[in-house]
Amino acid sequence: MGSCYSLIYFVTFFLIAMQQAWGQAILDTGSTLSMNGIYYYLPGKPFSHGHASVYAASASGSPSSGLGLIPVTVVNSNAAPFNLAALETTVDAFGKQDDVWTEGFLSAVILQGASMLGGSTVDVRNRTTTLATIQSSTNIPQGPYFISPVGDLYQPYRLYPDIEGAFTQPMGPFDAVTATYTALPATVPGINAPGVAVPSRLYYAKTASKPLAGVRTGIKDIFDIAGLETSNGNRAFYDLYPPRNATALPVQRLIDAGAILVGKMKTSQFANGEVATADWVDYHEPFNPRGDGYQDTSSSSSGPGSGIGSYPWLDLTLGSDTGGSIRGPSQVQGVYGNRPSHGLVPLTNTMPLAPELDSAGFLVRDPAIWTAAAKAMYQDALTFFPQFPPKLQTINFPTPNTTAADSTEAEANTILLAFLAKIESFLKVKSEPVNYTALWDRVRDPGLPSLDVLLNRTYPTLISKEQTKNVRDPFFADYAAENDGRVPFIDPVPKARWAFGDSLPASELDVAIANKTLFQNFWESHVLPAGNNNTEYCSESLILYSSGVNIFYRNTYLE
C-alpha cells in the first residue's frame, strides 16, 4: 500500500533574504517538524548539498511538508547482492538499533552504491517506497534524513521532552566552523519540559580512535563548554557571564572520543549538597524515577543521576564527586556511578568545590560504556590489572544475625547479603568486616586524636574555605561591579557553608589539608594498601560499603 504519514512543519528559522532588506543579522537557527506525532529538530545547515535529481526521484509519489521537505532513508547498497531481501533486513535492523528512524522515513529510499533493485518503487514493510540512487563516493552515513527541493539533505534530531527536569540547557549540534556549541533553539509541546535533541544512532560507528562514537552524553553544569553559559546551579551566575570560550578538559576528551553532547544537566547550587525541596531555590530539583517518583535525587550530580536513571535515549552522564556527589545520586537512582581516584584528569575550566578532593566521574547504566568512557577521559592515568584483589572487606554491611529496625531495612539487608554472597562466590573468598576507626586507634601516633576528632571539621573546612576563595569572592566582586554593589541571591546551603568558612581563621585551611593527608596516608597504608608491586592487582583488598537505608521524600519540611 502507499506511504501514509502526517508531516507538520513548524517554521523556526528566519529567511536570510530579510537580512538584506532590513540590514539585520538574522541567522537560520533550524526548524522543528512533527511526523506521525514525533517531533524532530532540523539544524539550519544541511548535512550534504547537490542532490536535486535525487529529490526529483524521491518526490515521485512521496508526500512532503508545506515547504517541500521529504523524509527519506539513506542505505548503503554496495554489499552484494543487495536485493529486496537485503533492503528488508537493513530496514529491520534500523528499527531495532535506532529511535530516531521510523517507518515514516520509508517514503523514499536513497541507495548509496550499486544494487540489484530495479524500477522506481519497491514494496517495503507493506508500503510503496520510492527509490533513488547516489554514488557510494558521497559517503553519507546511513539513516534518516529530510531532503529539500534544492537537494539539500538534513539530519533530523529527535526531540525528547525532559519530563524529569534533569537538564538546564539542551544543546544544538556542534558547529565545526566556530568550534562551539549553542543552546538548542527548539522545544516540544508540554508543561515545563524542554526538548532534548538526539541524533540517529545509525550515523555513527565506533572505532579504536572514536570508542564513544554516537554515545549520547549529558554534562553536569559545572563543566564549561565552548559556546554555552555555565550556571553552577545559580541564576545570577548564569546571567552574569558570557558563553565560555573553552571547554573543560574532561568534556573535551569525551568529545575527542566521539561522544555526542546533548545538554548540560542540573547541579545543586555550586555543587553543594542540597535536599529537595527546601534547599533548591534558584532551580527546581530534578525528579527521581525510582519508587513512586517523588524521592530525593541526592546531590550534587542530581541532573546526571536523574537523567541517566530516567531516559533510555541517554547513554552517559558526566558528574563530579567531592564528598559523595556521584555516589549518592547513582545509588538512589539505581545506576552505576564512581568517584575515581583524585587527580586522574585535570579539572581545567571546571568549577571547584575543594581542589584537594574534586574528581570527575560517570553515571551510567551500561558497564561497557562506563569502561570506554573511563579509558577516554582518564587515558594513561587509568590502569587495568590482570587479577582481582585477594581479599574482600566490608564496611557497614549487615550480617545474617543483624536485627533490622523495620521491614524496609530487613528487605534491604536481604538484598545486600545476597549481593555479598554472589561477590564472594565469584572471587572465591570470604569477606571480612573492617573497623577502620578501631584500626586507626591501634596504629596512630600517640599525639594524634581519634578519627572523630581529627576529621570532625576537615571536610566542611576544606569545601567552605576553598570555595569562598576560588568561586564566591570573584563572583561577588564581578556581580557587584555590574549591579551597583549588590550581592547576588544564594541558596541556603552554600550561603551557610560559606558563612562557616568565613568564621574560621585562614590557618584552618592548612590544618584541614594536613588532617586530610594524615587520613589518606593511613587509609593507603593500613586499610587499602597497594597490590603486589602494583602489577597484578590494584590493591590488597576490595571494600564494599553500605550507607544504610535512607529514604528522603522531596515534600518533607526541614525542622
Side-chain angles (χ1 to χ4, degrees):
M1 61 183 177
S3 300
C4 180
Y5 61 91
S6 61
L7 180 60
I8 304 173
Y9 191 83
F10 299 90
V11 179
T12 60
F13 63 84
F14 299 95
L15 298 178
I16 302 301
M18 296 297 293
Q19 179 177 354
Q20 297 177 350
W22 296 95
Q24 303 295 323
I26 300 176
L27 301 176
D28 184 347
T29 60
S31 55
T32 58
L33 298 171
S34 173
M35 184 170 70
N36 295 338
I38 298 176
Y39 287 86
Y40 298 93
Y41 167 71
L42 268 61
K45 297 178 181 178
F47 179 81
S48 180
H49 300 278
H51 307 291
S53 62
V54 174
Y55 180 87
S58 302
S60 176
S62 298
S64 67
S65 71
L67 294 181
L69 292 173
I70 296 174
V72 299
T73 297
V74 173
V75 174
N76 292 334
S77 56
N78 279 326
F82 195 88
N83 50 25
L84 182 58
L87 179 58
E88 290 275 11
T89 299
T90 300
V91 167
D92 288 343
F94 285 1
K96 294 175 181 177
Q97 297 171 16
D98 192 33
D99 55 342
V100 178
W101 183 91
T102 69
E103 288 190 5
F105 289 95
L106 284 178
S107 62
V109 169
I110 300 176
L111 300 174
Q112 189 168 222
S115 78
M116 297 177 65
L117 293 170
S120 60
T121 63
V122 293
D123 287 337
V124 181
R125 288 193 171 186
N126 298 318
R127 62 192 295 157
T128 300
T129 298
T130 303
L131 291 179
T133 303
I134 57 177
Q135 297 297 320
S136 59
S137 58
T138 54
N139 293 321
I140 296 174
Q142 294 191 113
Y145 292 83
F146 284 92
I147 189 168
S148 74
V150 296
D152 288 340
L153 279 174
Y154 293 86
Q155 290 186 335
Y157 287 66
R158 182 167 179 171
L159 288 168
Y160 281 103
D162 179 23
I163 58 175
E164 302 289 3
F167 286 83
T168 56
Q169 194 168 202
M171 295 165 54
F174 178 71
D175 188 329
V177 176
T178 62
T180 61
Y181 291 87
T182 57
L184 181 69
T187 188
V188 293
I191 183 169
N192 197 30
V196 181
V198 299
S200 171
R201 298 187 186 279
L202 303 174
Y203 302 149
Y204 308 97
K206 293 180 174 60
T207 64
S209 62
K210 300 290 184 183
L212 298 179
V215 173
R216 300 163 180 176
T217 304
I219 306 296
K220 184 177 181 178
D221 199 7
I222 67 167
F223 297 95
D224 288 349
I225 298 176
L228 298 178
E229 292 90 342
T230 296
S231 79
N232 296 325
N234 181 272
R235 294 198 305 164
F237 193 97
Y238 179 87
D239 290 336
L240 180 64
Y241 296 107
R244 302 301 185 175
N245 56 20
T247 296
L249 182 60
V251 179
Q252 188 60 54
R253 286 184 175 179
L254 298 179
I255 296 171
D256 293 342
I260 304 300
L261 305 192
V262 300
K264 302 192 79 173
M265 310 189 76
K266 285 182 181 176
T267 173
S268 53
Q269 195 165 96
F270 297 108
N272 286 270
E274 295 182 316
V275 177
T277 294
D279 291 337
W280 289 72
V281 180
D282 262 1
Y283 297 103
H284 201 51
E285 187 195 53
F287 285 87
N288 184 340
R290 305 306 176 199
D292 62 3
Y294 281 88
Q295 293 182 30
D296 189 80
T297 60
S298 188
S299 60
S300 61
S301 301
S302 307
S306 170
I308 201 66
S310 302
Y311 303 139
W313 46 263
L314 185 64
D315 304 319
L316 176 72
T317 59
L318 176 67
S320 67
D321 193 308
T322 304
S325 290
I326 289 176
R327 288 163 287 172
S330 63
Q331 174 185 343
V332 301
Q333 257 93 201
V335 298
Y336 296 105
N338 72 304
R339 182 197 188 280
S341 298
H342 182 259
L344 286 188
V345 57
L347 299 181
T348 58
N349 299 300
T350 303
M351 185 215 69
L353 181 56
E356 298 84 0
L357 298 172
D358 294 342
S359 60
F362 302 105
L363 298 95
V364 65
R365 295 184 307 273
D366 186 341
I369 293 178
W370 192 8
T371 301
K375 289 179 178 179
M377 191 169 74
Y378 304 131
Q379 298 185 352
D380 294 340
L382 185 67
T383 305
F384 288 85
F385 297 88
Q387 298 180 33
F388 289 102
K391 294 173 59 179
L392 178 64
Q393 300 181 94
T394 61
I395 296 174
N396 198 32
F397 253 69
T399 70
N401 300 321
T402 298
T403 300
D406 51 38
S407 60
T408 301
E409 185 174 295
E411 183 179 0
N413 289 348
T414 299
I415 295 172
L416 286 171
L417 288 173
F419 173 75
L420 180 59
K422 291 179 180 179
I423 296 295
E424 289 177 332
S425 175
F426 175 75
L427 296 176
K428 297 180 174 58
V429 297
K430 186 67 175 175
S431 63
E432 299 177 356
V434 56
N435 186 333
Y436 59 90
T437 56
L439 180 58
W440 166 267
D441 289 337
R442 290 200 302 269
V443 302
R444 65 182 169 91
D445 292 339
L448 293 175
S450 67
L451 277 182
D452 288 343
V453 175
L454 181 79
L455 301 180
N456 180 42
R457 295 200 315 190
T458 296
Y459 180 76
T461 300
L462 283 172
I463 63 172
S464 62
K465 297 296 283 185
E466 288 286 23
Q467 194 166 62
T468 54
K469 174 182 62 177
N470 296 315
V471 178
R472 185 201 62 181
D473 291 351
F475 170 41
F476 278 20
D478 293 342
Y479 188 89
E482 295 292 328
N483 294 277
D484 299 323
R486 294 195 299 272
V487 176
F489 179 86
I490 303 296
D491 278 1
V493 171
K495 185 176 182 179
R497 289 183 170 183
W498 293 348
F500 171 75
D502 290 340
S503 72
L504 302 175
S507 59
E508 282 295 307
L509 178 59
D510 293 332
V511 174
I513 293 173
N515 289 346
K516 188 273 299 184
T517 303
L518 278 172
F519 180 71
Q520 178 179 341
N521 292 339
F522 155 73
W523 192 270
E524 294 175 350
S525 299
H526 298 281
V527 182
L528 203 62
N532 185 10
N533 295 321
N534 291 323
T535 58
E536 295 182 7
Y537 36 81
C538 60
S539 59
E540 291 290 341
S541 174
L542 286 177
I543 294 182
L544 305 179
Y545 74 94
S546 167
S547 58
V549 179
N550 300 294
I551 300 176
F552 297 103
Y553 275 90
R554 60 191 302 129
N555 62 335
T556 301
Y557 285 96
L558 300 182
E559 296 294 337

